[in-house]
Amino acid sequence: NWGNGHECEWYGVGCEAGENNVVSVTYLDLNSNRLDGTIPREVGYITSLEQIHLWGNNLVGSIPSTLSQLVKLHTLYLDKNHLDGEMADTFDKLENMKHLDLSGNRLRGHIPHGLGSLTNLRDLRLSNNFLTSTFPVSLISLSNLQTLLLDSNAISGTLPSLVGEMRSLVTIRIHENDMKGKLPSFTDAERLEEAHFDGNYFTGPIPHFGSPRLRELYIGQNALTGSIPSNIGNLVKLEILDANANKLNSTIPTSISNASALQFLDLSHNKLSGDIPRGFSNLLWLHEFRLDHNRLRGRFPDWFGTMERLEIVHLNNNLLGGDLDLSLEMGDLDDLLEFAIENNDLSGVVGEAMCDLLLDVLTADCWGSPPRVDCSCCTECF
């Protein structure tokens, strides 16, 4: 209905009365409307705009520089389009900006340092673009920033140590970039709930995380070395710990069993040694348990049958030895889908209780005559 009647009655247009009851256009809400073409530069002339919602369309071209005139703008959602070009200094003077989402486009170039002057900014989402250069140090000054999403770009360089002191941060995602160097300590990031650093080239030890609210910690697919900090067990709300594909070379600290909310634990593809802590039997919410491709020794855990929510167990490619002790309670794990124990030094029988589960993946050292593990229902033998 655009072009007919008053603009405040048009679809997706919102108005409010301001000083002297003058009615002005304050928001555009046209998300997911299959819009194509470019964003008209004339949008930047509607200086009363406070919110623009254009996400989930098929918009192309660059972000018009005229948006820099929208000094009242506090919310801009242009995500999930096909916008390209560079961000330049379009947003540097929009001091009221609180929510800026440009993710899921084709933006390139560097992240403007001028964004660090937007002191009211709470959410900055630039994921899934082609942004390069380094992490802009100016972002550290954003004392109200709660969400920082820079993942799936080509950002390089190191992560400034002061990022770990951003007390307002709740979510930080910089995974799938080209960053290197050591991860800073996040001892002072006391509100942090989600931290995603996986898929980079970070080296050095696993840093300290001090937030009692931390629920998700992704540090896998890097080149981290050293031990797994015992204080991870203090993260009582931690649900996801993913440290796979690093170069960690310690034993597994028993203290992890104190993180009783854990649902996903992946320490696979490291150089971990020693026994699997028996205290892991206390992780009753655990769904996925991945310790494969390490150097773990000792006897096979006999306590899996008590972990009723297990869906995936991968212990293959370790040095576990002795008798394969699968309790009858294993047959009660109705949610179990995958159970992989091949390439160890185990011997024994995978019994009828396990076979009755009809798992998608059940693998063991059941090749040969006689096999080390007798398994009539394995999906693959090694």
Side-chain angles (χ1 to χ4, degrees):
N1 62 342
W2 279 44
N4 297 319
H6 195 277
E7 61 265 26
C8 293
E9 298 176 355
W10 295 353
Y11 173 79
V13 176
C15 298
E16 292 182 6
E19 294 182 9
N20 300 318
N21 289 321
V22 176
V23 177
S24 303
V25 175
T26 56
Y27 74 81
L28 295 178
D29 189 354
L30 296 170
N31 52 280
S32 300
N33 273 283
R34 301 180 181 178
L35 299 178
D36 52 24
T38 60
I39 301 174
R41 60 182 289 105
E42 289 79 9
V43 171
Y45 302 150
I46 312 174
T47 55
S48 55
L49 274 173
E50 298 176 5
Q51 300 185 54
I52 298 177
H53 299 256
L54 293 175
W55 59 268
N57 285 294
N58 298 305
L59 298 171
V60 298
S62 59
I63 299 172
S65 60
T66 54
L67 296 190
S68 63
Q69 303 176 48
L70 303 179
V71 294
K72 294 184 178 181
L73 196 67
H74 62 73
T75 300
L76 178 61
Y77 291 135
L78 302 179
D79 49 306
K80 301 179 183 67
N81 280 287
H82 307 289
L83 300 171
D84 56 25
E86 299 189 7
M87 294 175 63
D89 58 357
T90 305
F91 309 103
D92 293 5
K93 297 180 181 179
L94 303 183
E95 297 179 353
N96 289 305
M97 186 69 74
K98 295 181 179 179
H99 310 282
L100 177 58
D101 192 346
L102 307 179
S103 58
N105 282 290
R106 299 171 181 172
L107 300 175
R108 60 183 185 273
H110 69 281
I111 300 172
H113 286 275
L115 292 179
S117 65
L118 306 182
T119 56
N120 290 306
L121 199 60
R122 297 179 184 176
D123 302 300
L124 177 59
R125 303 168 187 252
L126 304 177
S127 308
N128 293 95
N129 279 290
F130 300 101
L131 299 171
T132 54
S133 191
T134 58
F135 186 97
V137 179
S138 63
L139 298 185
I140 296 170
S141 63
L142 297 175
S143 59
N144 292 305
L145 193 65
Q146 299 176 9
T147 302
L148 177 59
L149 309 185
L150 304 179
D151 54 280
S152 303
N153 281 289
I155 301 169
S156 58
T158 60
L159 189 63
S161 60
L162 291 177
V163 171
E165 300 180 15
M166 296 177 70
R167 296 179 180 272
S168 60
L169 267 186
V170 175
T171 299
I172 179 170
R173 297 182 184 177
I174 58 173
H175 55 280
E176 303 297 335
N177 276 291
D178 298 320
M179 302 195 72
K180 60 182 180 180
K182 293 183 179 181
L183 284 169
S185 170
F186 283 82
T187 302
D188 295 328
E190 54 194 18
R191 299 180 182 177
L192 196 62
E193 296 182 10
E194 299 181 22
H196 296 225
F197 304 111
D198 45 311
N200 281 284
Y201 301 97
F202 290 118
T203 56
I206 297 175
H208 182 260
F209 292 88
S211 172
R213 305 180 182 183
L214 192 63
R215 295 182 292 104
E216 299 180 8
L217 178 56
Y218 289 89
I219 51 177
Q221 300 174 56
N222 281 291
L224 301 177
T225 55
S227 61
I228 300 173
S230 59
N231 54 30
I232 282 184
N234 298 333
L235 304 175
V236 294
K237 292 190 176 181
L238 193 64
E239 298 175 1
I240 297 173
L241 174 57
D242 186 350
N244 83 90
N246 280 291
K247 299 178 181 179
L248 303 173
N249 57 5
S250 66
T251 58
I252 301 175
T254 304
S255 59
I256 291 181
S257 62
N258 295 328
S260 57
L262 267 180
Q263 299 179 25
F264 180 98
L265 177 62
D266 189 350
L267 305 178
S268 64
H269 293 271
N270 280 287
K271 300 177 181 179
L272 300 172
S273 58
D275 295 349
I276 299 174
R278 187 174 186 83
F280 279 7
S281 61
N282 297 324
L283 300 177
L284 300 181
W285 291 95
L286 204 61
H287 294 271
E288 297 193 26
F289 188 63
R290 300 175 185 264
L291 301 181
D292 55 282
H293 293 86
N294 279 290
R295 300 170 181 174
L296 299 172
R297 295 181 177 273
R299 300 183 62 83
F300 188 83
D302 59 0
W303 33 261
F304 280 130
T306 64
M307 305 174 72
E308 299 178 354
R309 294 175 175 85
L310 276 177
E311 298 176 10
I312 295 176
V313 175
H314 287 186
L315 298 178
N316 51 290
N317 294 82
N318 277 290
L319 302 171
L320 300 174
D323 292 334
L324 179 60
D325 187 6
L326 299 179
S327 63
L328 291 176
E329 288 81 2
M330 292 287 291
D332 296 328
L333 301 181
D334 294 333
D335 294 331
L336 194 63
L337 301 172
E338 300 181 12
F339 191 77
I341 58 173
E342 77 275 5
N343 293 322
N344 280 289
D345 193 22
L346 299 166
S347 59
V349 178
V350 176
E352 184 177 340
M354 283 289 292
C355 289
D356 288 345
L357 293 174
L358 301 176
L359 303 183
D360 295 338
V361 174
L362 177 55
T363 55
D365 294 316
C366 49
W367 186 261
S369 182
R372 281 188 293 169
V373 175
D374 185 358
C375 181
S376 62
C377 59
C378 276
T379 58
E380 188 174 3
C381 289
F382 292 81

